[in-house]
Amino acid sequence: MEMAKVIVDVPSKDTDRPFDYLVPASLRPWIEVGSRVGVPFGHRTLQGFVVSLHPRPEMDTSKMKPIQEVLDVLPPLSRELVQLGEWMKERYACRQITALQSMLPTALKGKAERYISLPERSDTPDETEGLFSLQPESEEEERILGFVGQRGEVTIQQLSRAFPDQADVIKTLLARGMLSEHQQIKDKLQKKTMKAVELAVEKAAAEAALGDFPAKAQRQREVLSYLLEIEPLLPISQKELLQTLGVTAGTVKALADKGLIAIKDVEVFRDPYRGRHFKPSEPLVLTEEQQRVYDKIVHKLDERQHGVFLLHGVTGSGKTEIYLQTIQRCLQQERQAIVLVPEISLTPQMVERFKARFGDRVAVMHSRLSDGERYDEWRKIREGRASVVVGARSAVFAPFDRLGLIIMDEEHETSYKQEETPKYHARDVAIHRAALSGAAVILGSATPSLESYHAARSQAQDDFAPVLLEMHSRALGNRLPEVRVVDMREQLREGNRSMFSIPLHEAIAARLERGEQTVLLLNRRGYSTFVMCRSCGYVAGCPECDISLTYHQKSNNLRCHYCGYAAPSPDVCPDCGSEHIRYFGTGTQRVEEELAKLFPGIRVIRMDVDTTTEKGSHEKLLQQFRDKKADVLLGTQMVAKGLDFPDVTLVGVITADSALNLPDFRAAEKTFQLLTQVAGRAGRHQLPGEVVIQSYTPEHYSIIHASGHDYLSFVKDELKHRKALHYPPYCRLILVTLSHEQLPLLVRTAENYAAMVKKEADRRGWFGSLDRFAADALDILGPVASPIPRLKNRYRFQCMIKWRGTMDAVSLTRDAAEQLQESVRDSGLAISIDVDPQMLM
DNA sequence: AGCACGCCGACT
DNA sequence: GTCGGCGTGCTC
C-alpha cells in the first residue's frame, strides 16, 4: 500500500517532523501533496498536511496507521507552498506546522470533534464480552444509552450537558464497549478563540469544596483559591493562569472534571466588512521612462524565469501603472499575480485601481475581513475564479497554481515583517516563492530599504539580488515640491514657544485664504501620551510590563498597549497626592486645540488611532477631506501613505526628528522615508506644492536629504554609518529574547545562552569581531534587558547576534536554544528567535 | 499539545 | 493495601 508523510498539528519540538501513514486505496484519488487530512495520532485524531507520497515504501509499514479522512476536495496547499513551508522552517526557526498553518485562512484550522454513538453490532464476540456485562446495570445507564440511540450520534458536549455529573457513568459505558467513540476533524469556520477558565459553581460552593479538598491536591487548591481571590468577571485565559501559578494544564483539567471550574473556548475578536462597485479603466500611455522599465520586466516575464526587480521611482513617477500593465501581461500568459501592499494603504481607493482594470478577477485579502469572508476570498483564488490578489503580507501565500508575478509596493515598509511566529518577512518569502514557481518579482518604492538597494547595487552573483530599475521624473511632468526646513530652536530663541513655527503658521494662513488644503503630519513615533506628576515626577506605569501607560482621551483611562491593562486616569497623584498630575506628549488632540486657537473657525479632520478604530472610519474621514469638508487633515503616519488629493498644496511636518533619537539603528532611515513619503503628498496635480518641515536637528543628514528629495545622498551617508557600526546590510541580525518570571534565574540562563552560542561559533571558527575580514563572522551582544524589560509579568532579556557569510547562523541559534530548554528543567522559560528583526525597541 | 503510564505519599 | 495527584514520555 502507498504511504504518505504527514506534518501533524502539534507545534512542539518532538513532533516537528513528518510522520508516516498508510494511504487507504479508497482515499488515494483524493490525496496529493498539500492535502489536509485527519490522522490518528496517539489517542486522538489530528489535522495534518501531506508533504510527500511514496508509492512503494521500502520501510516496514506494519506499525503505520492509515489516514482516516481527507478534509478538502482541492488540496489547500500546492507542492510549491509545502516546499516554501520547509524553507520557512529553516529560515525563521519556526515549526513546520506553524509555517503551513500561516499560509491558510483560520477557517481551515480544523480540530477533532469527538462523537459518541452506539457500537455497531458485530458477529464476532468481543473479548471484553466475558468480562463485562453488555446490559445496562442501572437506570442511569439505560437513560444515557437511550439518549444516544435515539440521536444516533452525539458530541461529548451534548452528552455532558444532557447528563451533568454523569461523566463517570459515561466513561464506564465507553470502557465496557457499550458506547463507542470516534473522532473527526471539524473546520473552525468561526472566529479566533482561546481557552479560558472560570468558576462553574457558586462562590460559596467553591469555598466549601476548597475546605474538604484532599490534602494532596495542593496545585488544584492553588488554582481554585486564586480564582476565588481575583473573582474575574469574565473567564480568564488558561495560558495566563498556567503561567501565573506555574501549574500544568492537567491540574486545571482535573478541576474541570470535578465540575468546579469550566474550560471554554472564548472568542478573541471579530470584525466584518463590505464590498463595493468600480468603474472600469483602460491602460494609460506610458512615458518613455516607464516604457523602458516596463520592457525590462516584460522581457523577464516572457522568459518565464525567476527574476527580481527593485523599482526605485520618485513619488508620482507612476509605479502603479507599471504594476497594472505588467499584471496584464502576466494574465495574458495565463498566469496569476499577487500584489502586496502595506496593511495601512490597503484602502478602497487602492483596491479600486486594480478592480477597475481587472474586474472580478481580483480578490482582496486584508486584515479587517472576518474569518468567513477571508475564507471566501481564499476559495475564490484556490478555485481559479480570481487571478489577481491584492492584499497585505499574508497574501504572499495566495494559493495560485500558475504564479507569474509578485509585486510588492512600498517595499521598505516594516509592516511586511510579521511580528508573531512565524516571524517571516514577506519580501524574502515572495522572492523564494517566486524562485520555486519561476515568477518575476517587482519590489517598488520611492525610498527602497537599504537592504534591497544595497543588494541591487552590489549585484552579487546571487540569483536573488534584485536588478535596479529607476524612474526619476513624475509621470505628469510636474515638479517635486519645494521643501523648507525650519529650525525650531531658532523659533524658540526668537520667543515663539508655539508648536507652529512662523513659516508654517503663515503657510497655513495662505492656504486658508486661497481655499486650498493642508496635510499636517505629527510624527508620533517615539512619543506617547503618558501621565506624569509635575510635583514629584511620578509616571503612571503598567504593573505587569514596566512601561508607562498611555492616556486615552476618549475613555479617559490609562492603558498599557502591550498587555491591555487599563486603569482610570488619576485626578491626584497616587504617590504624593498633588493635583498637578496631567498627561504629557504631543498628541494630535493638542495640535488640534492649538490650530483652533490660532485659526478660529478652521475645519480640521483628525486621523489617529483614536478616530480610526471603528470599521470604515478611516475611509470616511478621507472622503470628507476629499470633498473639501475640511481645510486641514491632521494625523500620524497614516496620512503619509499613498493619499492623492488635488487641492493639497501644503504639507507640514510638526516635528520631523522625534524618532531620530530612538535606540534603533534604522531611525534615520525611517525618518527619511517618512519625510519623503509625506512630502510626496503635496502638489501632485496642477497646483504647485510646498512642504514645511519643522525640526530641532535640521542639520541631520536624513532631514537635509529628505528636503532635497535626494535618496542617493541619503543612502551614501547612511551606508557609511551602517558599515562602521556593523549593521545591516553589512551583516544580518538575529534577536533572541528569553523570558521568565524570575529575574535571577533568567539572567543566569541568558548568560548561559550567550556562552553556548559563542562556544559553538568559536568551534566553527566564526566567532570574533566583524571587524576582521573573515568571510564568515559572528558576534553576540548581550544578554541585556529587553527594551520592554517586563511583559505580562515575565522578565525579558535578549541577545543580539550579528553575522555574515554562508554559515547557518539560524540553526546555530536554534540548536543552542533547544539545548538550553532541555537543560533548564523549568518549563517556564520561553525563548523567541527573530531572524532579521525589524522592531528593535 | 494532550493523554496514558507509573511513581509515591496520604487515606481506609 | 488502594486511591489519586502529578511528573515523564510518546505520538507514524
Side-chain angles (χ1 to χ4, degrees):
Chain A
M1 205 187 300
E2 293 187 31
M3 61 149 278
K5 288 190 182 289
V6 174
I7 299 289
V8 295
D9 186 13
V10 182
S12 81
K13 177 179 176 280
D14 294 339
T15 50
D16 191 20
R17 62 188 175 83
F19 285 81
D20 302 330
Y21 286 91
L22 296 170
V23 178
S26 61
L27 297 182
R28 180 62 193 89
W30 307 102
I31 295 183
E32 290 171 49
V33 169
S35 288
R36 196 166 59 110
V37 293
V39 290
F41 194 73
H43 309 272
R44 335 168 256 169
T45 297
L46 290 178
Q47 174 175 292
F49 295 94
V50 174
V51 292
S52 64
L53 280 166
H54 305 263
R56 298 196 54 220
E58 270 142 47
M59 60 262 271
D60 174 25
T61 58
S62 59
K63 273 195 302 182
M64 289 181 204
K65 294 182 183 173
I67 290 177
Q68 187 181 309
E69 54 175 336
V70 185
L71 300 169
D72 316 87
V73 179
L74 286 176
L77 298 171
S78 57
R79 184 175 286 272
E80 161 209 319
L81 286 173
V82 168
Q83 275 178 276
L84 194 63
E86 279 159 18
W87 173 79
M88 284 174 74
K89 170 185 170 168
E90 301 305 325
R91 170 62 178 263
Y92 298 111
C94 66
R95 319 254 90 116
Q96 202 169 336
I97 188 65
T98 315
L100 295 179
Q101 212 79 253
S102 72
M103 300 176 179
L104 299 174
T106 48
L108 292 184
K109 191 172 165 55
K111 240 176 69 182
E113 185 78 62
R114 303 168 67 173
Y115 296 94
I116 307 280
S117 55
L118 295 181
E120 281 174 42
R121 278 237 174 114
S122 70
D123 298 330
T124 52
D126 197 276
E127 60 211 48
T128 56
E129 209 170 345
L131 298 167
F132 299 107
S133 155
L134 279 176
Q135 294 302 313
E137 288 179 334
S138 68
E139 241 174 74
E140 206 44 73
E141 290 191 356
E142 211 160 316
R143 293 226 310 272
I144 293 173
L145 290 172
F147 180 85
V148 175
Q150 198 185 352
R151 274 152 232 255
E153 188 178 79
V154 294
T155 64
I156 296 252
Q157 286 89 331
Q158 289 170 315
L159 199 56
S160 52
R161 210 171 301 131
F163 300 93
D165 319 321
Q166 301 292 321
D168 287 345
V169 184
I170 296 167
K171 278 180 196 163
T172 314
L173 286 169
L174 280 166
R176 277 172 30 213
M178 297 184 63
L179 285 178
S180 71
E181 186 198 337
H182 78 279
Q183 301 183 31
Q184 210 171 0
I185 305 292
K186 224 182 115 195
D187 282 352
K188 171 154 88 191
L189 278 167
Q190 307 115 341
K191 41 264 147 179
K192 196 177 169 186
T193 63
M194 64 174 182
K195 283 226 183 309
V197 174
E198 68 179 349
L199 285 177
V201 295
E202 291 297 309
K203 210 181 160 192
E207 268 160 3
L210 200 59
D212 48 45
F213 238 56
K216 295 243 33 214
Q218 195 45 44
R219 312 318 313 256
Q220 292 183 34
R221 184 191 300 269
E222 276 170 38
V223 172
L224 193 57
S225 45
Y226 178 76
L227 283 171
L228 281 165
E229 191 185 319
I230 60 167
E231 267 194 90
L233 296 172
L234 298 167
I236 74 161
S237 148
Q238 169 172 300
K239 201 171 161 194
E240 275 173 46
L241 185 74
L242 300 186
Q243 273 176 7
T244 320
L245 297 178
V247 296
T248 59
T251 309
V252 176
K253 193 165 180 301
L255 276 169
D257 287 343
K258 292 196 174 111
L260 291 169
I261 63 170
I263 305 173
K264 314 175 148 185
D265 280 322
V266 173
E267 184 178 334
V268 179
F269 59 76
R270 171 190 213 171
D271 48 358
Y273 161 89
R274 239 193 289 159
R276 290 195 184 194
H277 262 292
F278 303 95
K279 273 184 259 142
S281 83
E282 290 298 316
L284 306 174
V285 176
L286 298 179
T287 65
E288 207 177 299
E289 204 175 47
Q290 284 177 316
Q291 188 69 45
R292 259 206 313 277
V293 164
Y294 172 80
D295 289 343
K296 285 240 172 71
I297 299 169
V298 160
H299 181 72
K300 183 56 88 179
L301 271 179
D302 289 349
E303 281 180 358
R304 297 182 181 239
Q305 295 283 312
H306 176 234
V308 184
F309 297 96
L310 177 60
L311 176 54
H312 172 215
V314 296
T315 52
S317 58
K319 292 188 287 291
T320 308
E321 191 58 31
I322 299 273
Y323 302 157
L324 291 167
Q325 297 199 18
T326 48
I327 292 169
Q328 185 133 36
R329 181 64 159 236
C330 175
L331 297 183
Q332 281 163 4
Q333 298 176 341
E334 306 266 285
R335 295 201 290 169
Q336 301 136 336
I338 296 173
V339 183
L340 300 172
V341 296
E343 187 68 61
I344 196 168
S345 42
L346 193 47
T347 56
Q349 288 93 320
M350 182 77 192
V351 172
E352 187 173 352
R353 300 190 68 173
F354 291 88
K355 288 227 176 190
R357 198 66 64 85
F358 307 113
D360 296 342
R361 285 184 293 171
V362 179
V364 181
M365 286 278 198
H366 80 59
S367 74
R368 286 182 203 266
L369 297 180
S370 75
D371 286 347
E373 287 161 330
R374 179 184 296 266
Y375 182 43
D376 288 346
E377 291 297 287
W378 182 87
R379 269 167 29 220
K380 191 171 164 184
I381 301 166
R382 181 65 190 93
E383 292 163 9
R385 287 180 284 128
S387 34
V388 178
V389 61
V390 181
R393 190 170 60 223
S394 66
V396 75
F397 301 117
F400 285 133
D401 48 7
R402 295 184 312 281
L403 185 63
L405 179 63
I406 305 179
I407 289 165
M408 176 176 266
D409 191 31
E410 310 269 7
E411 168 281 331
H412 60 277
E413 272 293 316
T414 52
S415 68
Y416 285 124
K417 181 81 199 297
Q418 171 142 344
E419 294 297 329
E420 303 83 46
T421 329
K423 302 185 175 188
Y424 66 88
H425 198 300
R427 187 205 294 136
D428 301 327
V429 175
I431 292 173
H432 280 266
R433 180 170 183 194
L436 291 171
S437 43
V441 179
I442 307 174
L443 308 173
S445 176
T447 52
S449 66
L450 276 110
E451 284 89 340
S452 295
Y453 194 77
H454 184 72
R457 245 188 14 183
S458 54
Q459 272 292 310
Q461 49 284 67
D462 180 356
D463 269 358
F464 293 171
V467 173
L468 186 60
L469 303 173
E470 307 210 60
M471 297 202 293
H472 302 286
S473 45
R474 288 188 145 185
L476 297 177
N478 49 5
R479 294 182 50 106
L480 286 164
E482 278 304 309
V483 178
R484 197 161 154 195
V485 178
V486 180
D487 187 340
M488 291 304 275
R489 296 167 303 190
E490 223 162 81
Q491 292 286 313
L492 200 65
R493 256 177 263 133
E494 285 166 14
N496 178 9
R497 302 184 63 182
S498 147
M499 63 178 86
F500 289 96
S501 63
I502 299 199
L504 183 54
H505 186 282
E506 283 172 355
I508 296 171
R511 295 312 177 291
L512 286 175
E513 213 164 280
R514 297 207 293 265
E516 293 168 6
Q517 291 180 298
T518 301
V519 168
L520 285 181
L521 170 79
L522 183 70
N523 188 3
R524 240 176 60 152
R525 209 168 160 266
Y527 272 118
S528 66
T529 44
F530 58 99
V531 165
M532 187 170 103
C533 172
R534 298 173 86 175
S535 303
C536 71
Y538 162 87
V539 174
C542 175
E544 304 214 316
C545 304
D546 285 358
I547 65 158
S548 51
L549 295 168
T550 308
Y551 178 72
H552 285 250
Q553 191 180 46
K554 224 173 168 180
S555 42
N556 191 36
N557 68 6
L558 301 171
R559 270 180 250 165
C560 170
H561 75 239
Y562 289 115
C563 74
Y565 169 90
S569 185
D571 298 322
V572 295
C573 174
D575 246 26
C576 71
S578 159
E579 284 173 18
H580 297 291
I581 183 160
R582 55 163 300 178
Y583 65 95
F584 275 76
T586 321
T588 43
Q589 303 100 315
R590 275 190 55 204
V591 181
E592 189 179 16
E593 283 162 26
E594 182 129 353
L595 272 172
K597 227 185 300 166
L598 295 173
F599 307 100
I602 193 169
R603 298 167 307 162
V604 179
I605 289 177
R606 183 157 62 86
M607 237 171 62
D608 57 26
V609 279
D610 280 341
T611 62
T612 54
T613 43
E614 265 172 61
K615 158 193 110 63
S617 53
H618 192 254
E619 292 84 52
K620 215 165 74 194
L621 292 175
L622 292 179
Q623 191 56 47
Q624 283 172 13
F625 189 60
R626 188 182 307 270
D627 295 342
K628 299 202 75 174
K629 298 213 172 94
D631 310 299
V632 174
L633 176 66
L634 163 67
T636 51
Q637 268 83 325
M638 53 183 92
V639 303
K641 290 271 168 287
L643 311 181
D644 197 347
F645 303 108
D647 289 319
V648 170
T649 58
L650 172 66
V651 168
V653 181
I654 310 277
T655 37
D657 31 22
S658 64
L660 269 183
N661 300 314
L662 292 176
D664 175 355
F665 73 91
R666 279 188 254 260
E669 183 182 1
K670 286 181 183 156
T671 300
F672 176 83
Q673 285 163 347
L674 182 66
L675 294 178
T676 305
Q677 296 284 336
V678 76
R681 298 307 112 215
R684 292 173 68 95
H685 295 264
Q686 277 75 26
L687 300 168
E690 183 188 359
V691 177
V692 177
I693 293 175
Q694 304 190 143
S695 169
Y696 288 91
T697 47
E699 66 282 357
H700 192 279
Y701 61 92
S702 64
I703 291 171
I704 293 173
H705 297 319
S707 68
H709 307 288
D710 190 353
Y711 176 77
L712 285 183
S713 299
F714 170 74
V715 167
K716 208 171 141 222
D717 283 351
E718 179 67 5
L719 283 180
K720 261 185 258 161
H721 284 93
R722 300 282 181 94
K723 192 164 196 171
L725 298 169
H726 301 301
Y727 273 115
Y730 295 100
C731 70
R732 292 183 45 198
L733 305 177
I734 301 172
L735 181 66
V736 181
T737 305
L738 300 92
S739 68
H740 196 275
E741 281 180 15
Q742 286 154 26
L743 187 58
L745 180 100
L746 174 64
V747 174
R748 268 202 319 274
T749 314
E751 274 163 2
N752 245 331
Y753 180 74
M756 284 165 69
V757 171
K758 226 176 264 184
K759 196 174 157 207
E760 180 56 22
D762 226 2
R763 200 180 64 76
R764 303 189 196 184
W766 298 336
F767 184 71
S769 161
L770 291 163
D771 285 328
R772 286 197 263 121
F773 287 96
D776 280 334
L778 184 149
D779 269 352
I780 179 162
L781 311 184
V784 294
S786 288
I788 307 158
R790 195 155 144 255
L791 183 62
K792 295 188 183 170
N793 216 10
R794 299 170 62 83
Y795 291 95
R796 294 149 51 88
F797 263 65
Q798 67 180 32
C799 296
M800 178 69 81
I801 292 151
K802 293 178 164 186
W803 66 282
R804 67 161 176 258
T806 54
M807 66 172 84
D808 192 350
V810 176
S811 75
L812 193 160
T813 43
R814 189 233 274 124
D815 293 349
E818 273 167 7
Q819 221 178 303
L820 189 69
Q821 284 278 25
E822 251 160 61
S823 70
V824 182
R825 308 183 57 76
D826 193 321
S827 62
L829 175 71
I831 307 178
S832 134
I833 296 178
D834 188 349
V835 178
D836 301 332
Q838 291 290 317
M839 295 290 170
L840 295 178
M841 28 155 307

